[in-house]
Structures are given as structure tokens and as C-alpha cells.
Amino acid sequence: MPWAILILSGLFEAVWATALGQSDGLTDPGATVVFAGALVLSMLGLGWAVKRIPIGTAYAVWTGIGAALTVVYAMATGAESVSAGKIVFLSGIVLAVIGLKLVPSGREEQPPAS
């Protein structure tokens, strides 16, 4: 469950980052509301996940998911160009995130200490 919450939080990070870019300096009310809501959900999920996953791993996975999805969305909508180099390096981020999940840290999935 902690990993599912962390991944969902990474998705919300991509949403808030994209909404921030579309908010015109937080002057567009609709994009600003989406930004604020996604930011809160993303941080709540990250905060919950780091009680069960080491902070270094959780933060790297969270930012990796958010960064990769933000760029993929920008490329899909035409806001950013698509190139072979970008695809290679985005693939590297995705592989690194998967690798962090697969490498045991010795503390994952543990309930928080009382």
C-alpha cells in the first residue's frame, strides 16, 4: 500500500506542476485551484508514504514520477518537442524509479514506530 500511495502522489505531483505552468503566475483561477488541490494531495501522500518507505527512496521515486509524467504530458500536448534523446533519458528516469522499488532497503513496508 505505501508504494501505491507514493505512485499516486507522484501522479499528483505531475498534475500540480502542469497546472502551475498553466496558471499564468497563479493568476488563472481554474489552473490555480487545480495546482493547489493537487499539491495538497501530493504532499499528503508523500508524507504518509515516508512513514513506511525511507525518505531518500520515496523522494527520488516521487520526483522521478512527477518529472517524467510532466515532460511526457508536455510532449503529448505539443508544449514540448519530442526527440529521441528525451525519450532515452525519460526511459532512464523510469528505469531508475523501478530499480529503487526493486532494491531492498531493509525498512520498506514497516509500520511507523509508536
Side-chain angles (χ1 to χ4, degrees):
M1 183 68 143
W3 281 95
I5 297 296
L6 182 61
I7 291 167
L8 187 60
S9 294
L11 294 171
F12 279 116
E13 188 203 0
V15 171
W16 72 251
T18 300
L20 178 61
Q22 296 174 347
S23 73
D24 194 27
L26 301 177
T27 60
D28 178 305
T32 299
V33 167
V34 171
F35 160 74
L39 178 65
V40 167
L41 291 172
S42 181
M43 290 296 167
L44 287 172
L46 177 62
W48 185 85
V50 299
K51 291 179 180 179
R52 292 151 184 90
I53 300 170
I55 184 67
T57 299
Y59 185 70
V61 168
W62 181 76
T63 57
I65 290 169
L69 289 177
T70 301
V71 173
V72 167
Y73 179 81
M75 289 191 307
T77 60
E80 190 162 327
S81 64
V82 179
S83 71
K86 285 181 183 179
I87 292 170
V88 167
F89 292 117
L90 285 170
S91 298
I93 291 171
V94 171
L95 289 172
V97 165
I98 292 169
L100 286 170
K101 166 61 174 126
L102 296 177
V103 174
S105 73
R107 187 185 141 221
E108 297 166 9
E109 306 284 337
Q110 299 297 317
S114 302

